[in-house]
């Protein structure tokens, strides 16, 4: 097998044992890598209804056939698991040296089961070892990584969790390189539940590719294309932070718990303000368009800013001071909390306080209160213990109609685009395979360009195309998608790299078929987990966007139309070959080569 190492490492933490699985080529051909490998393994090996925080849950780190190759932005890794936040499929994508080293160590993926009997870290290199780590337990992610770098040197790739993961906060993530975060739906909590504080990966080898010369030629071409892009210089200056001004102008910047799409202090938190504060640039490995902008925060620490972090910990909680937002961002990185869910739960708490549903008085934009909440959430104290469960569960417990403005889909909090006037983006959140996240389809810019008021079929077709590319191709090749989105590196280039690496002759259509297989299998996984509780309502955005119009700005009065949304959702199901409950039809599964899946799924729910 060329392009893949053909080897997956299996680790049983309970037994302290590891072995190598030399997998069948059909896994690679049918699922490519990354998310594809993860869902196939979870479907085959995870017992339905497993408690996500029990030793039986499976956590998988998966690279893809382009990961670690001399391809632009190839230092990415997908982390997948059953989510403790959503109880469905969860994954996230993190930029880390651990990704490159994993492939150099001779593995495409690591499957982790069981629970270590003491706090430990996993070392993967020439050998595989589970090492006791009592002295690391309780440390922040920055401190753990620095300590492990002292032991293994700067070329070791490290993934770790902070106190939030140890305390099983449901949206704790895995952190790498002091500012790269992955696994929004609770990867950090799953690691914490396994007593696994960190994973250290070293590797020296090279991945065997089919056509080394052609691969290098294409790699250099890609590298130069990015450098010569007219957008390159601006991207290097602002990275994802340029989106703040764009979102404000488009009235989609989530403000005060998604009540509004415009923030009166947006100018104070913009990419331009950030530019004046930057002290350091960072990036993922193998990246020649690094977008990590590091600033000095209000308390003198260093924080890496991104659009999502600033929108959610700024506008969404009413805070208009970028250095203070940077402090909250750094705390999230150090404790190992997802900034998107965090900005949502803090906004939710502020609104609950405003409405008198909780005793605590928490004002919009109160920096000190936000800091206190982050501490309480991380260590599960007071109100923090409730908020550590995420907005879906918190709203169930406090009641008072709060589920209407608990801003999540399937339990995963919504990322930073308000959808009062963006039906296709609302549908993207509703049908995302991990719950509300923009990763699989950031359709909003295109939607605004073609007319945001329209509820039509062309939008659904575009949504599926984006899901195939972003959620299918990029999450299974496992490289960063930003060169394609931001600097227009073509999809054909990625395909050439893939074919040169593997010796195959895949077309975009072949890739789309794999993407559809992955999507339907992820959907089957959700349904197997939810069984009788699954219905179409699972694919709906929160009621707020339908019921409470925007009260400010040029789109004042705008809200989503239920009928239009339902029409688009129905069409989405039809296009995917799913029935009107959102369940893949038997013949769809069969056409995708998932006959066995159809057989098993029919034990849980009636298939059409
Ligand atoms: C991703 C989500 C995002 S998406 C952001 S900012 W973004 C938030 N970043 C966080 C952070 O930082 N610290 C923290 N404690 N929590 C955070 N939560 C949020 O997590 C990220 C980049 C970005 S920046 C994006 S869009 C792209 N995402 C990619 C993707 O998903 N797939 C892919 N093939 N390429 C991608 N490239 C870009 O990577 P999740 P990273 Mg992330 C400080 O993890 O769970 O997928 O959630 O990976 O290495 O930090 O790079 O405006
Ligand atoms: Fe990482 Fe940004 Fe480079 Fe993508 S563009 S690989 S997210 S540094």
């Amino acid at each position: 097998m060329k392009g893949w190492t053909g080897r997956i490492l299996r680790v049983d933490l309970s037994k302290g044992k590891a072995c190598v699985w030399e997998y069948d080529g059909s896994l690679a051909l049918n699922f490519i890598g990354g998310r594809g490998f993860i869902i196939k393994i979870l479907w085959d090996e995870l017992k339905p209804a497993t408690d996500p925080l029990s030793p039986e849950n499976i956590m998988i780190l998966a690279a893809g056939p382009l990961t670690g190759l001399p391809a632009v932005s190839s230092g990415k890794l997908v982390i997948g698991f059953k989510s403790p936040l959503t109880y469905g499929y969860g994954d996230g994508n993190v930029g880390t040296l651990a990704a490159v080293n994993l492939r150099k160590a001779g593995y495409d993926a690591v499957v982790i089961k069981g629970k270590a009997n003491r706090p430990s870290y996993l070392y993967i290199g020439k050998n595989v070892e589970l090492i006791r780590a009592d002295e690391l337990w309780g440390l922040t992610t920055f401190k753990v990584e620095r300590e492990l770098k002292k032991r293994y040197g700067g070329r070791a790739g490290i993934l770790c969790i902070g106190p939030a993961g140890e305390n099983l906060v449901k949206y704790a993530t895995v952190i790498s390189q002091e500012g790269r975060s992955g696994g929004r739906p609770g990867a950090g909590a799953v690691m914490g539940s396994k007593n696994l504080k960190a994973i250290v990966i070293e590797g020296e080898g090279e991945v065997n590719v089919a056509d080394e010369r052609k691969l290098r030629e294409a790699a250099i071409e890609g590298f130069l294309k990015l450098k010569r892009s007219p957008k390159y210089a601006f991207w290097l200056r602002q990275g994802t932070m340029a989106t703040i001004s764009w979102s404000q102008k488009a009235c989609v910047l989530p403000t005060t718990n998604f009540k509004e799409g415009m923030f009166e202090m947006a100018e104070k938190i913009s990419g331009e303000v950030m530019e004046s504060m930057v002290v350091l640039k960072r990036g993922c490995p193998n990246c020649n368009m690094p977008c990590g902008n590091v600033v000095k925060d209000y308390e003198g620490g260093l924080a890496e800013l991104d659009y999502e972090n600033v929108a959610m910990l700024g506008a969404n909680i009413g805070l208009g001071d970028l250095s203070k937002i940077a402090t909250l961002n750094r705390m999230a990185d150090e404790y190992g909390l997802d900034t998107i869910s965090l900005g949502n739960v803090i906004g939710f708490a502020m609104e609950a306080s405003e409405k008198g549903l909780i005793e605590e008085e928490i004002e919009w934009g109160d920096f000190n209160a936000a800091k206190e909440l982050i501490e309480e959430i991380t260590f599960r104290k007071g109100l923090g213990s409730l908020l550590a469960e995420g907005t879906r569960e918190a709203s169930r417990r406090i009641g008072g109609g709060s589920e209407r403005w608990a801003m999540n889909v399937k339990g995963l909090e919504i990322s930073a685009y308000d959808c009062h006037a963006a039906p296709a983006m609302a549908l993207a959140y509703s049908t995302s395979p991990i719950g509300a996240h923009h990763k699989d389809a950031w359709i909003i810019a295109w939607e605004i360009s073609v007319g945001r008021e329209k509820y039509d079929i062309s939008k659904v077709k575009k949504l599926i195309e984006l899901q195939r590319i972003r959620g299918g191709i990029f999450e299974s090749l496992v490289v960063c998608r930003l060169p394609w989105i931001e600097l227009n590196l073509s999809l054909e280039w990625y395909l050439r790299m893939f074919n040169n690496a593997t010796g195959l002759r895949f077309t975009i259509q072949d890739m789309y078929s794999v993407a559809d297989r992955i999507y339907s299998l992820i959907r089957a996984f959700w349904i197997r987990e939810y069984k009788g509780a699954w219905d179409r309502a699972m694919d709906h955005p929160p009621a707020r966007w339908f019921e409470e119009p925007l009260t400010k700005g040029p789109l004042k009065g705008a809200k989503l139309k239920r009928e239009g949304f339902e029409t688009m959702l129905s069409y989405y199901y039809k296009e995917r070959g799913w029935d009107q409950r959102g369940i893949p039809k038997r013949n769809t599964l069969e056409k995708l080569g998932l006959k066995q899946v159809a057989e098993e799924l029919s034990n849980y729910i009636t298939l059409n």
Side-chain angles (χ1 to χ4, degrees):
M1 213 187 295
K2 301 280 171 67
W4 290 274
T5 68
R7 289 153 41 99
I8 291 177
L9 182 69
R10 287 181 175 280
V11 178
D12 185 330
L13 298 172
S14 304
K15 295 184 182 149
K17 289 201 167 145
C19 65
V20 175
W21 166 29
E22 296 198 350
Y23 62 88
D24 192 311
S26 68
L27 177 67
L29 287 179
N30 289 316
F31 292 94
I32 307 282
R35 176 183 262 185
F37 279 17
I38 290 168
I39 186 56
K40 175 72 172 121
I41 295 168
L42 285 179
W43 177 267
D44 287 348
E45 300 184 18
L46 188 74
K47 213 165 138 235
T50 295
D51 174 354
L53 295 177
S54 70
E56 287 71 38
N57 197 4
I58 303 175
M59 180 168 186
I60 301 161
L61 315 178
L66 293 192
T67 309
L69 296 187
V72 290
S73 310
S74 68
K76 290 275 188 185
L77 190 67
V78 185
I79 305 176
F81 47 92
K82 176 175 171 184
S83 162
L85 183 63
T86 68
Y87 288 84
Y89 173 79
D91 72 19
N93 191 308
V94 60
T96 171
L97 199 51
V100 177
N101 289 357
L102 180 69
R103 295 262 286 161
K104 285 179 183 267
Y107 304 110
D108 292 322
V110 187
V111 179
I112 302 169
K113 296 182 181 174
K115 177 179 180 177
N117 59 13
R118 304 204 51 102
S120 305
Y121 68 91
L122 179 65
Y123 171 83
I124 301 171
K126 284 205 179 98
N127 59 334
V128 180
E129 247 182 293
L130 190 60
I131 298 166
R132 276 175 63 165
D134 298 86
E135 74 290 359
L136 301 180
W137 203 252
L139 295 187
T140 65
T141 62
F142 291 9
K143 286 188 178 151
V144 178
E145 186 150 357
R146 284 175 203 168
E147 176 53 36
L148 290 170
K149 290 257 182 221
K150 272 193 225 154
R151 297 183 197 176
Y152 293 95
R155 290 178 61 198
I158 295 163
L159 298 162
C160 62
I161 60 165
E166 294 171 12
N167 295 322
L168 310 182
V169 176
K170 299 280 173 71
Y171 42 90
T173 58
V174 172
I175 303 282
S176 191
Q177 304 185 185
E178 299 190 16
R180 304 269 130 201
S181 164
R184 289 196 53 213
V190 174
M191 244 172 104
S193 73
K194 297 187 173 303
N195 264 339
L196 192 58
K197 182 70 179 171
I199 301 168
V200 180
I201 310 183
E202 292 187 305
E204 296 294 338
E206 291 300 329
V207 179
N208 201 2
V209 295
D211 194 329
E212 176 95 40
R213 188 182 57 80
K214 278 195 183 160
L215 187 89
R216 283 203 178 269
E217 273 171 21
I220 292 167
E221 196 184 303
F223 181 84
L224 292 176
K225 268 197 180 143
L226 296 184
K227 282 225 137 181
R228 288 175 188 148
S229 161
K231 298 188 201 159
Y232 188 69
F234 183 65
W235 172 258
L236 285 192
R237 276 177 23 224
Q238 291 211 359
T240 60
M241 278 293 288
T243 315
I244 293 279
S245 305
W246 178 85
S247 287
Q248 170 78 350
K249 211 164 143 226
C251 304
V252 299
L253 183 63
T255 302
T256 49
N257 197 28
F258 289 86
K259 284 186 196 173
E260 306 292 344
M262 291 186 84
F263 181 44
E264 58 207 13
M265 288 180 273
E267 275 183 18
K268 294 188 178 166
I269 63 170
S270 67
E272 284 72 27
V273 174
M274 181 206 68
E275 277 192 58
S276 68
M277 294 166 63
V278 170
V279 292
L280 198 68
K281 290 289 212 187
R282 283 195 201 134
C284 309
N286 296 358
C287 179
N288 74 325
M289 46 177 280
C291 64
N293 287 298
V294 182
V295 302
K296 201 163 234 183
D297 70 60
Y298 188 68
E299 296 181 344
L302 293 180
E304 192 174 320
L305 299 180
D306 261 305
Y307 166 72
E308 298 290 330
N309 308 347
V310 173
M312 296 312 300
L313 294 170
N316 198 53
I317 67 167
L319 179 59
D321 179 321
L322 197 52
S323 70
K324 289 182 177 167
I325 296 169
T327 298
L328 303 183
N329 190 158
R330 186 206 4 108
M331 288 175 77
D333 288 345
E334 288 193 309
Y335 287 151
L337 287 160
D338 172 49
T339 52
I340 297 174
S341 286
L342 186 62
N344 266 285
V345 294
I346 296 174
F348 176 84
M350 288 173 168
E351 185 160 355
S353 168
E354 182 181 60
K355 291 189 157 78
L357 291 173
I358 53 174
E359 282 171 11
E360 292 78 358
E361 286 183 19
I362 317 165
E363 299 283 328
W364 291 110
D366 185 336
F367 170 63
N368 289 323
K371 270 181 61 183
E372 215 170 294
L373 279 181
I374 295 177
E375 293 285 339
E376 288 186 2
I377 289 167
T378 301
F379 296 98
R380 285 187 170 270
K381 289 189 190 138
L383 179 62
S385 185
L386 174 75
L387 298 178
E389 297 296 311
T391 54
R392 180 169 70 177
E393 184 56 27
S395 71
R396 272 182 193 150
R397 294 197 199 163
I398 69 168
S402 59
E403 74 285 353
R404 312 195 87 68
W405 39 268
M407 302 305 288
N408 67 76
V409 177
K410 301 183 184 69
L412 182 68
E413 282 72 23
I414 291 175
S415 41
Y417 301 94
D418 182 78
C419 293
H420 278 90
M425 190 65 215
L427 188 64
Y429 282 136
S430 303
T431 57
S432 148
I434 61 167
H437 192 37
H438 60 289
K439 162 164 61 191
D440 284 69
W442 190 71
I443 195 172
I444 196 160
W446 177 87
E447 168 164 48
I448 290 171
S449 75
V450 298
R452 60 201 304 168
E453 67 293 343
K454 283 194 236 154
Y455 291 74
D456 68 19
I457 285 169
S458 66
K459 287 190 173 179
V460 178
K461 284 185 187 276
K462 183 72 180 178
L463 170 58
I464 292 177
E465 180 194 328
L466 287 176
Q467 289 181 333
R468 284 176 172 148
I469 297 170
R470 296 169 58 119
I473 298 178
F474 281 101
E475 295 314 303
S476 58
L477 292 179
V478 194
V479 282
C480 180
R481 61 169 188 258
L482 294 179
W484 168 69
I485 299 172
E486 302 291 345
L487 303 187
N488 306 107
L489 192 58
S490 70
L491 273 188
E492 287 67 31
W493 180 84
Y494 288 95
L495 199 65
R496 245 170 80 205
M497 289 293 289
F498 172 76
N499 285 335
N500 290 335
T502 60
L504 297 169
R505 289 291 165 262
F506 264 46
T507 61
I508 291 284
Q509 214 46 53
D510 294 329
M511 286 287 182
Y512 282 1
S513 300
V514 174
D516 288 351
R517 184 172 301 120
I518 293 171
Y519 256 67
S520 280
L521 188 52
I522 293 179
R523 180 51 62 135
F525 182 87
W526 276 93
I527 292 157
R528 188 172 72 174
E529 292 299 332
Y530 273 75
K531 289 181 269 182
W534 180 273
D535 73 26
R536 185 181 167 104
M538 295 283 291
D539 289 332
H540 280 68
R544 161 154 285 165
W545 285 339
F546 293 108
E547 295 172 353
E548 296 173 33
L550 295 172
T551 68
K552 292 181 192 155
L555 296 179
K556 191 174 163 186
K559 60 176 181 171
L560 284 183
K561 293 177 190 150
R562 273 196 194 279
E563 207 181 309
F565 181 84
E566 292 304 337
T567 307
M568 283 170 71
L569 181 60
S570 296
Y571 190 72
Y572 176 90
Y573 289 154
K574 194 163 163 259
E575 279 285 293
R576 283 224 168 268
W578 299 352
D579 69 18
Q580 288 304 309
R581 300 167 296 169
I583 297 171
K585 292 184 183 171
R586 186 181 288 277
N587 80 353
T588 302
L589 292 170
E590 286 177 3
K591 271 197 243 158
L592 292 168
L594 301 172
K595 191 165 189 289
Q596 296 286 40
V597 172
E599 290 308 315
E600 198 196 325
L601 198 57
S602 62
N603 294 326
Y604 297 91
I605 205 151
T606 316
L607 294 190
N608 283 314

